[in-house]
Amino acid sequence: MTESYDFDAIVVGSGITGGWAAKELTQKGLRVLVLERGKPLEHSRDYTTEHMPSWQMPNRNLANRQLYATDYSVQRHARSFDYTTLRYWNNDRENPYVQTPEKPYHWLRADVVGGKSLLWGRHSYRWSDLDFEANKLDGHGVDWPIRYADIASWYGHVERFIGVSGESLGLPQLPDSEFLPPMELNVVEKAFKSRLTQHYPKRCVTIGRVANLTKPLGDRAPCHYCGPCQRGCSVGAYFSTQSSTLPAAKATGLLTLRPNSVVEALEHDVARGRVSAVRVIDAQTREHHRYTARLVFLCASTFASVQILLNSRSQHFPEGLANSSGTLGRYVMDH
Amino acid sequence: MNRRELLTQLALAAGGTLVSAVAEAALRGAALHVPPAQSALQPLERELVRQLAELILPRTDTPGAIDAGVPAFIDQIVSNWYSPQEREIFREGLASLDVFCRQAWSRPFTECDPEQQTKALSAAEDSSRGYEETSGRRIRDVPDEQSPFFYKLKLLTVLGYYTSEVGSTQELSYDPVPGKYDGDLDFETVGRQWSW
């Protein structure tokens, strides 16, 4: 039987994980479709507030109270939400969800190509075996099936590409990354470090390990220390899908990026026992589309990925895909 | 390399006309003293705001509130951003300064000498003492709508001044693209606090 798919792989979501999936798969020669529910956003060109001074902002960046109340009632709680980043965030009026008054929850969502990789905090730390074994040592839960040694080389694979600046210390509890030069502690921090280590020789003070470049990396320039990363960095000095993984995927010529694509459900091929198609509603035209692929990577964020699985009901999976136990959607921890 | 060159280079590196436009505008500056198209203040109230802002931040060896366009900013926020309740508190506060001056010196605030004006403003400050902000939320989101007049006036004056181009570049030191990080910079090389 000959099968023809629209793509070799479909990646749902263009945030940090989706961008990485797109990069890895296209560089292995696969034809990849990335589906992003948010709006198009062009790296550099569309960071229109990047170095905007306060006196050019509407009302000096005081909140647009009416708009924030009607359209951004959830996203306004994000630390980096303001006039300069507004267009990256989800419109809560157009994307409502149910919250119980007893347990309200702020579901922070991006709504552009690049997703929350544009808005993230950029701190990047390796876990150690203390983390992987913590619950086992405490006698809780199920032992994790992996240890630090299993993924140490993959940490390096990612770090070399995204660029992580930091200081090598050889600490067992916080393994060193493959670092770019660290940013310098300031004079106050140095004084604090010196006093602390006088009194507590084993305690450690070190600069944050961040995905901000301190040296050029490929086409990306080092940090110029302007401050508000979350507005977007036109020279790509911090890691985002937009600054690094997406350009790499595009460079292969094998990437198709489709913004405004809300994934309705995944289709499960019973005969082959795997997902074989993705159903999409265009956010602008409301048209339905269906794309087939040999592989599907669901990288739509914690809750949205769960939502898509729960919406993927079929005769075989009446409660949603990967939910035969009824556990899907419970015990979820967002990030 | 100076800031202009660096901004230009960054704009070129980004290859974007918009980025370049933003950088250019940052260097050029924007109109200062234009009052809002829709002002809720009467001419006398506007004059009062002008004198009060300058009283709080007078021109010294650096520009004052009027130089920095603070009165137009206050007018805009009071007229077009404040809630009706905030606007009422603010306008009542302006009126009460006039009442204070008429009772004490039989003339309106705007005709008092600076010493009398300062006394009137100090009285407004005293009457707001003991007030504590009930809202811990950040200023740029939702400041406490109930705060008394003096709080509102001082907040708008200081905010308007330090976010203005004049305040940011002349009273403070403005460098949107430092290009490097120096954790132990000699203060004398800058001489002023950085704006942001």
Side-chain angles (χ1 to χ4, degrees):
Chain A
M1 188 175 86
T2 55
E3 290 177 287
S4 91
Y5 293 104
D6 298 332
F7 295 91
D8 295 321
I10 295 173
V11 175
V12 181
S14 68
I16 291 182
T17 320
W20 264 98
K23 170 194 170 300
E24 294 293 305
L25 296 171
T26 52
Q27 289 184 337
K28 292 277 189 295
L30 277 69
R31 293 173 305 125
V32 174
L33 170 68
V34 171
L35 297 168
E36 164 57 51
R37 86 183 176 98
K39 303 176 285 285
L41 184 81
E42 191 172 318
H43 181 56
S44 298
R45 191 199 70 184
D46 290 343
Y47 302 148
T48 50
T49 57
E50 185 180 8
H51 296 118
M52 179 179 279
S54 52
W55 59 89
Q56 288 179 354
M57 297 176 195
N59 295 324
R60 308 284 169 84
N61 207 8
L62 283 166
N64 184 335
R65 288 166 162 176
Q66 198 183 344
L67 180 72
Y68 292 7
T70 55
D71 286 33
Y72 297 96
S73 56
V74 173
Q75 310 306 318
R76 69 182 308 174
H77 296 283
R79 194 171 142 270
S80 56
F81 176 89
D82 67 6
Y83 167 76
T84 64
T85 59
L86 183 129
R87 64 204 182 284
Y88 302 154
W89 293 97
N90 183 54
N91 183 307
D92 300 312
R93 181 175 51 77
E94 293 172 352
N95 299 277
Y97 63 98
V98 176
Q99 296 184 76
T100 57
E102 308 82 53
K103 295 177 83 175
Y105 182 74
H106 294 154
W107 184 10
L108 302 181
R109 311 179 75 183
D111 192 34
V112 284
V113 171
K116 282 186 285 188
S117 76
L118 286 163
L119 298 156
W120 72 306
R122 302 170 301 282
H123 279 253
S124 307
Y125 301 90
R126 289 190 179 199
W127 276 18
S128 73
D129 272 333
L130 280 175
D131 303 301
F132 288 105
E133 292 175 352
N135 68 323
K136 188 187 179 197
L137 294 174
D138 284 348
H140 292 294
V142 179
D143 188 21
W144 284 47
I146 54 169
R147 289 291 182 267
Y148 179 66
D150 297 320
I151 63 163
S153 67
W154 291 104
Y155 273 127
H157 179 75
V158 170
E159 288 153 0
R160 283 192 297 277
F161 189 77
I162 72 173
V164 178
S165 59
E167 183 188 15
S168 289
L169 295 167
L171 301 170
Q173 74 273 29
L174 189 64
D176 294 327
S177 303
E178 294 189 28
F179 287 129
L180 299 174
M183 290 184 182
E184 200 188 351
L185 292 178
N186 69 33
V187 64
V188 178
E189 292 159 347
K190 281 178 185 164
F192 172 76
K193 177 178 180 168
S194 145
R195 301 273 184 83
L196 186 83
T197 45
Q198 270 171 33
H199 295 306
Y200 305 100
K202 286 183 180 169
R203 296 191 189 179
C204 174
V205 176
T206 189
I207 191 72
R209 299 173 170 184
V210 290
N212 289 73
L213 304 184
T214 49
K215 282 202 318 197
L217 186 67
D219 292 337
R220 299 167 51 202
C223 181
H224 52 269
Y225 301 95
C226 73
C229 301
Q230 68 276 3
R231 297 181 190 177
C233 183
S234 56
V235 297
Y238 76 89
F239 165 80
S240 69
T241 300
Q242 288 272 10
S243 71
S244 45
T245 44
L246 214 50
K250 277 180 186 163
T252 64
L254 296 172
L255 176 75
T256 306
L257 174 66
R258 196 182 196 291
N260 292 315
S261 302
V262 182
V263 171
E264 184 185 10
L266 311 178
E267 283 183 13
H268 182 257
D269 182 339
V270 179
R272 294 178 60 246
R274 58 197 300 167
V275 172
S276 59
V278 180
R279 292 209 304 271
V280 169
I281 302 173
D282 189 293
Q284 293 188 313
T285 65
R286 307 287 169 96
E287 283 172 350
H288 288 252
H289 299 274
R290 183 175 175 274
Y291 301 100
T292 59
R294 206 151 54 84
L295 299 165
V296 174
F297 281 68
L298 192 50
C299 309
S301 85
T302 308
F303 283 150
S305 292
V306 168
Q307 180 185 37
I308 289 167
L309 289 171
L310 287 171
N311 283 341
S312 304
R313 292 161 198 263
S314 62
Q315 209 176 355
H316 255 73
F317 298 102
E319 301 303 319
L321 204 52
N323 192 28
S324 54
S325 67
T327 303
L328 187 67
R330 304 176 199 279
Y331 320 112
V332 182
M333 191 168 77
D334 190 22
H335 181 71
Chain B
M1 192 188 322
N2 67 26
R3 193 171 74 235
R4 178 179 292 273
E5 288 164 357
L6 186 61
L7 280 171
T8 308
Q9 282 199 5
L10 280 173
L12 289 175
T17 49
L18 272 170
V19 175
S20 157
V22 168
E24 269 308 302
L27 295 164
R28 219 175 38 245
L32 261 191
H33 304 283
V34 186
Q38 302 258 312
S39 175
L41 298 179
Q42 300 298 316
L44 275 173
E45 291 176 313
R46 240 175 276 155
E47 178 57 22
L48 208 54
V49 164
R50 207 178 71 89
Q51 295 192 13
L52 285 166
E54 189 69 10
L55 202 58
I56 293 173
L57 286 172
R59 182 192 288 178
T60 56
D61 58 332
T62 54
I66 292 173
D67 297 320
V70 171
F73 170 74
I74 295 179
D75 196 348
Q76 157 64 12
I77 297 301
V78 171
S79 301
N80 299 315
W81 190 82
Y82 266 2
S83 67
Q85 188 194 14
E86 290 170 305
R87 191 152 46 237
E88 193 182 320
I89 294 172
F90 191 86
R91 296 184 74 179
E92 279 176 2
L94 292 178
S96 71
L97 282 176
D98 241 12
V99 169
F100 183 94
C101 291
R102 284 176 197 278
Q103 282 175 354
W105 304 293
S106 306
R107 62 182 80 128
F109 181 91
T110 50
E111 289 171 26
C112 288
D113 62 42
E115 196 183 328
Q116 291 166 335
Q117 289 184 337
T118 305
K119 275 185 183 155
L121 196 54
S122 297
E125 183 176 20
D126 289 342
S127 73
S128 72
R129 267 189 225 289
Y131 170 79
E132 283 182 24
E133 274 194 83
T134 53
S135 165
R137 287 174 289 190
R138 58 196 174 167
I139 286 167
R140 74 166 181 228
D141 193 357
V142 184
D144 186 352
E145 294 189 36
Q146 317 284 337
S147 66
F149 165 70
F150 185 79
Y151 271 70
K152 288 181 164 37
L153 175 68
K154 190 168 155 186
L155 191 152
L156 290 185
T157 303
V158 173
L159 178 69
Y161 185 81
Y162 286 102
T163 57
S164 71
E165 182 174 16
V166 167
S168 295
T169 60
Q170 296 179 42
E171 166 68 22
L172 301 175
S173 190
Y174 180 66
D175 189 357
V177 184
K180 65 183 172 67
Y181 180 72
D182 185 341
D184 193 7
L185 187 68
D186 186 358
F187 180 73
E188 295 308 316
T189 62
V190 184
R192 300 191 180 282
Q193 173 65 273
W194 295 112
S195 65
W196 59 280

